Amino acid sequence: MDHPAEIFSLTVEELMQLYNPIKPQIEARLLDFRHIWETASDEDLFRELVFCLLTPQSKAKTCWKAVQRLDRKCMMAEAMPAQISEELVGVRFNLRKGEYICLARNMFNSRSLRATLAEFAGPTAARVWLVENVKGLGYKEASHFLRNIGLGEDLAILDRHILKNLALLGVIKEVPSSPTKKMYLEIERKMTAFSKESEIPMGHLDLLLWYKEAGEVFK
């Protein structure tokens, strides 16, 4: 028996119906992120950087649990890559990511992460520097990190959840399997234009679309 074709689309009206009830929750979460930059030590900022190094192709909650485990065991400051990798339970490519964490740690042992980020005129310039200098960070991860420390609300975090929903909304024609830098920036431009048209701020739009897929506002 034939089944009716599923409609793969999402209207702005449907998005607004989802947005309005959780808008206060999104605003509170973004306030939490801004508070991090206002109060965080270098160690606090590095913890968020480690989280974003872990997230590619892995679940956010699993990655945050791994960060908390490393923090609880005081391993981020001195443990060897292999020791760190052992603690990355459920995180894909754990061996490689253990190495990335140690490389980043070595870099920011000799320079303040906070002071480095404060040197840039804005989040776009900071993102370019992070991508070019921190191994394991692409545009998505660098954008995620800056947003999570209260510096990048207007940057697009183009993970699979966001890309899928941008396609459903008609903002992009299809979901790219592995966006190049040029493609990433073009999709970000289109998402920014949609944000302005729909009057949903970029930081809100990211958390809203993430909420639509995951059922919660996380990080």
Side-chain angles (χ1 to χ4, degrees):
M1 179 178 177
D2 291 334
H3 295 280
E6 186 175 353
I7 299 173
F8 292 100
S9 65
L10 175 64
T11 67
V12 175
E13 290 76 18
E14 290 169 335
L15 192 63
M16 294 304 293
Q17 288 174 5
L18 185 66
Y19 176 48
N20 289 324
I22 68 161
K23 186 177 178 181
Q25 191 178 346
I26 289 174
E27 289 175 337
R29 197 72 185 99
L30 290 171
L31 194 62
D32 289 341
F33 293 148
R34 292 181 207 127
H35 187 66
I36 289 176
W37 178 250
E38 292 167 1
T39 64
S41 64
D42 270 316
E43 290 75 17
D44 296 329
L45 295 176
F46 187 72
R47 192 180 304 118
E48 295 292 338
L49 182 64
V50 169
F51 169 67
C52 293
L53 282 168
L54 297 182
T55 55
Q57 298 189 49
S58 298
K59 293 182 179 179
K61 281 205 161 182
T62 299
C63 294
W64 188 241
K65 286 179 181 177
V67 170
Q68 291 175 315
R69 189 159 50 247
L70 290 171
D71 198 34
R72 188 170 59 249
K73 295 184 178 183
C74 302
M75 294 181 69
M76 275 191 278
E78 295 181 355
M80 299 297 289
Q83 295 172 308
I84 289 176
S85 296
E86 286 180 3
E87 299 297 329
L88 305 183
V89 180
V91 177
R92 295 195 69 192
F93 311 114
N94 62 316
L95 295 177
R96 186 187 310 166
K97 290 175 181 179
E99 292 175 1
Y100 291 162
I101 290 169
C102 290
L103 287 171
R105 179 183 69 200
N106 293 342
M107 174 184 291
F108 294 112
N109 274 343
S110 58
R111 62 189 300 166
S112 162
L113 178 52
R114 171 180 280 280
T116 299
L117 294 173
E119 291 174 2
F120 297 101
T124 301
R127 178 172 67 179
V128 171
W129 186 88
L130 287 165
V131 171
E132 291 178 350
N133 290 277
V134 181
K135 192 169 184 179
L137 285 189
Y139 271 76
K140 179 188 73 175
E141 295 79 31
S143 302
H144 195 179
F145 168 61
L146 290 167
R147 194 282 308 274
N148 280 9
I149 62 169
L151 293 181
E153 283 184 31
D154 291 331
L155 300 175
I157 306 167
L158 299 180
D159 69 3
R160 56 192 177 87
H161 291 319
I162 305 304
L163 290 168
K164 170 189 169 183
N165 281 281
L166 290 179
L168 290 176
L169 287 161
V171 176
I172 58 176
K173 291 182 179 179
E174 59 184 5
V175 176
S177 57
S178 183
T180 61
K181 172 186 173 181
K182 181 179 178 181
M183 195 181 301
Y184 192 103
L185 296 177
E186 176 62 17
I187 295 173
E188 181 176 63
R189 186 189 65 76
K190 291 179 178 179
M191 184 175 174
T192 300
F194 176 80
S195 167
K196 291 176 181 175
E197 290 167 11
S198 64
E199 298 184 345
I200 304 174
M202 277 287 279
H204 288 224
L205 184 57
D206 174 84
L207 289 172
L208 172 62
L209 295 179
W210 211 91
Y211 172 88
K212 177 180 174 290
E213 292 299 307
E216 63 179 326
V217 176
F218 186 46
K219 60 186 288 138

